[in-house]
Amino acid sequence: MFDYYANPARFMKLSGVLLPWVSGLTVILFAVGLYWGLFIAPADYQQGETVRIMFIHVPAAWMATFVYGYIAFASAVSLIFKHPLADVAAKSAAPIGAAFAFLALMTGMIWGKPMWGAWWVWDARLTSVLVLFLLYMGYMALWQMIEEPIQAGRAAAILGLVGAINIPIIKFSVDWWNTLHQPASIVKGGGPAIHSSILVPLLIMIGAYMVLFTALILAAMRAEILRRRVRNMRLAQAEGGYHG
Amino acid sequence: MNSFWAILRRDIRLAMRQGGGGGMAVGFFLIVVSILPLGVGPDLNLLARIAPGLLWVALLLSVLLSLDRIFHADYEDGTLDLLATGPLSLTLVVIAKMLAHWITTGLPLVIAAPVLGVLLNLDTQAFLPLMLTMLAGTPALNFLGAIGAALTLGVRRGGLLISLLVLPLYVPVLIFGVGAVNAVLVGPSPFGSPFMILLAITLVSAVISPIAAAAAIRLNLD
Amino acid sequence: MGKYAYFIWAAYGVSALVLIGLTFYIWSDLKRQARLLRRLQDKGTPKRPSARAMDNAP
């Protein structure tokens, strides 16, 4: 099955059919989630109205991690099966994951100001996301610096896997470092005793971000496949011009 | 195995003869450590408190600066092509070259560190832990850095790119290296636990890195 | 929303800005590549260079 759908032409056909439906679902989920989160969900008794920031902060942070996992998976497939579609998938996901990481940082900072009185307090989770964001930057830079797609794909796949192995170690080290320096860190939402009036809109928003990612990755992969076709045709054109 | 030692000896001899490698890295280490007090002020108490962190960050930067020397010259003059098709597996070649690079740059940096510690008013009881953690941590910096160096072989002006790729991977080494030194100075955790984790990180990177770097070199050769 | 309204709207605003911007960027990239491809196809360019770059073709 895997090999069947890994054919780029078939992917183009399938993604063309899926894309409008996924886009529609994204709009619906966002409408429901935003309305619920902004107007129905009650204010938290501890954090007050600022708890509403959680509905966009947690999904963004969650997606930033998820997308790196997706890149690592695609990297492994690329290295083992040498399939160009896996490279396309990994390359297209990187800017989207970086955008999610950026949003997790921005919303975390905006949340931190009323909570802690400072825009940035080197909280363990925010610091981990910051390092993750830097990993995305390096990964994207490597793609950009190597011009030949096959070679760039293999280099990026190696980096993607090395990064994926390192992420748990980085997370562990940052947590350790944080408990060392500020033992009393404020626990954000996401603890075990989260109330259902907040959990439901949060889950809807996470779903909305997931579906949005699906729509964006389908579109970005289509664009990347077309870009490679254009590149090949231009090479052919240059060759033809050279001989003729 | 003979060719392994041959590569190791050759790389060390070349690095010695060119003079650049270790000496440059130590010089850079010295410069960074000397300008830091100019930035944060000459308060000796403050310097003593942040000395482990400053020394470790300066060490990271110095290692980073020397990374493109591991493979680049051999890549340009075609030696890597020969080594890749030679009898020794490329993974072992990579290990030999990383080891040689550590002996010629990592080790001098570790030896220089206590001298620079004096400049930052580092407490004398921290000298030995500092050298121990750096001895344990610099191989990891070299191993992880070699992956970045190998990935960027085909890139023109890859130096900046190496930093971007490698520095995030250095975060755990930095945290546990500084953590172990600070454990001796201020506590609360004992020196042993962060030091053991640091050793574990070095071992993990010693396993991953030769495989990843060899794969990266191979893709740059075809 | 109380005294924190600015913070809440700022967080939602920046999220909307980035996500809509990203969507627009990817969408326009897709349209651009499709347009370029069509233009090349209309000229009757072969799909790929003769032999060397065969393995590039997804």
Side-chain angles (χ1 to χ4, degrees):
Chain A
M1 185 211 96
F2 183 75
D3 221 42
Y4 182 84
Y5 288 108
N7 175 315
R10 218 168 270 130
F11 172 83
M12 288 304 277
K13 207 175 283 173
L14 186 71
S15 62
V17 176
L18 280 177
L19 196 51
W21 292 95
V22 179
S23 310
L25 189 61
T26 310
V27 174
I28 295 172
L29 276 179
F30 263 102
V32 175
L34 285 174
Y35 183 74
W36 202 322
L38 281 173
F39 302 110
I40 301 180
D44 187 70
Y45 74 97
Q46 265 184 326
Q47 307 189 16
E49 296 283 352
T50 52
V51 76
R52 299 190 197 285
I53 296 178
M54 185 177 78
F55 299 134
I56 48 173
H57 171 74
V58 173
W62 202 82
M63 288 309 294
T65 319
F66 173 82
V67 173
Y68 205 96
Y70 173 93
I71 290 176
F73 177 73
S75 302
V77 172
S78 157
L79 285 178
I80 296 168
F81 299 106
K82 305 251 183 290
H83 208 289
L85 196 63
D87 285 344
V88 171
K91 185 188 181 188
S92 314
I96 309 175
F100 284 134
F102 175 76
L103 282 182
L105 290 175
M106 290 303 286
T107 52
M109 285 169 77
I110 296 171
W111 199 2
K113 183 66 181 165
M115 294 296 298
W116 300 312
W119 294 106
W120 187 266
V121 290
W122 294 101
D123 160 76
R125 292 182 210 194
L126 278 183
T127 310
S128 294
V129 177
L130 178 63
V131 178
L132 184 63
F133 181 68
L134 297 177
L135 282 173
Y136 274 119
M137 291 291 108
Y139 181 82
M140 284 158 67
L142 187 64
W143 265 110
Q144 206 163 34
M145 295 289 273
I146 305 178
E147 206 263 334
E148 212 284 308
I150 296 285
Q151 211 175 13
R154 267 195 275 167
I158 294 171
L159 182 68
L161 277 185
V162 170
I165 296 170
N166 265 279
I167 283 179
I169 305 176
I170 293 172
K171 177 95 181 89
F172 168 67
S173 68
V174 170
D175 285 347
W176 185 83
W177 167 81
N178 194 254
T179 52
L180 204 65
H181 290 278
Q182 40 184 112
S185 137
I186 296 172
V187 179
K188 287 183 189 171
I194 184 163
H195 197 266
S196 65
S197 62
I198 282 172
L199 187 63
V200 174
L202 180 63
L203 287 179
I204 295 174
M205 282 308 279
I206 290 179
Y209 272 63
M210 277 299 276
V211 183
L212 172 69
F213 169 69
T214 312
L216 289 178
I217 190 76
L218 287 177
M221 282 176 72
R222 287 175 71 80
E224 180 63 22
I225 289 173
L226 294 183
R227 188 184 350 269
R228 292 186 178 200
R229 286 186 184 163
V230 168
R231 184 176 186 274
N232 279 330
M233 287 176 94
R234 282 202 174 134
L235 286 175
Q237 201 178 29
E239 194 182 53
Y242 186 71
H243 290 303
Chain B
M1 230 38 209
N2 266 337
S3 35
F4 179 87
W5 296 114
I7 295 172
L8 185 66
R9 269 201 304 272
R10 168 186 168 275
D11 268 32
I12 294 177
R13 210 178 316 120
L14 275 180
M16 295 292 198
R17 195 184 308 152
Q18 285 166 347
M24 265 231 304
V26 171
F28 184 78
F29 197 20
L30 173 66
I31 288 176
V32 172
V33 170
S34 1
I35 63 168
L36 280 170
L38 300 178
V40 298
D43 177 4
L44 284 181
N45 289 328
L46 175 70
L47 285 178
R49 197 160 58 80
I50 58 177
L54 292 185
L55 287 167
W56 260 96
V57 170
L59 177 81
L60 290 194
L61 297 177
S62 313
V63 171
L64 209 56
L65 196 76
S66 69
L67 282 178
D68 60 338
R69 294 179 159 265
I70 303 184
F71 305 118
H72 207 263
D74 284 351
Y75 174 70
E76 295 217 306
D77 66 13
T79 313
L80 266 185
D81 280 293
L82 289 178
L83 290 173
T85 51
L88 196 61
S89 89
L90 193 54
T91 317
L92 283 175
V93 173
V94 167
I95 295 176
K97 294 186 81 64
M98 286 194 239
L99 212 57
H101 187 257
W102 180 74
I103 292 170
T104 51
T105 62
L107 211 52
L109 287 171
V110 175
I111 295 168
V115 183
L116 302 180
V118 174
L119 280 181
L120 295 180
N121 192 28
L122 182 72
D123 197 299
T124 35
Q125 61 164 343
F127 278 29
L128 192 63
L130 183 77
M131 285 187 81
L132 272 179
T133 54
M134 285 185 170
L135 213 53
T138 40
L141 301 181
N142 264 328
F143 287 140
L144 293 170
I147 302 175
L151 283 173
T152 54
L153 271 182
V155 177
R156 261 170 292 129
R157 292 193 300 277
L160 202 60
L161 184 58
I162 295 183
S163 315
L164 203 55
L165 302 185
V166 165
L167 268 180
L169 305 179
Y170 280 179
V171 167
V173 182
L174 175 68
I175 287 177
F176 289 111
V178 178
V181 180
N182 271 333
V184 176
L185 287 175
V186 286
S189 75
F191 174 76
S193 45
F195 187 68
M196 285 300 168
I197 299 169
L198 184 64
L199 283 177
I201 292 171
T202 303
L203 288 180
V204 170
S205 60
V207 175
I208 302 168
S209 159
I211 302 168
I217 288 175
R218 204 165 277 126
L219 83 89
N220 274 305
L221 289 181
D222 17 277
Chain C
M1 298 244 168
K3 56 180 172 169
Y4 295 129
Y6 282 128
F7 292 106
I8 297 168
W9 289 120
Y12 278 82
V14 73
S15 299
L17 209 68
V18 168
L19 291 181
I20 292 171
L22 182 70
T23 308
F24 180 76
Y25 168 76
I26 290 174
W27 182 77
S28 59
D29 184 36
L30 181 58
K31 293 292 156 228
R32 204 176 89 89
Q33 299 304 331
R35 199 171 55 237
L36 288 173
L37 190 67
R38 216 173 308 116
R39 204 175 295 157
L40 284 166
Q41 277 166 346
D42 289 347
K43 273 197 239 165
T45 321
K47 274 195 163 164
R48 51 193 59 149
S50 46
R52 193 180 48 82
M54 267 301 264
D55 50 354
N56 290 347

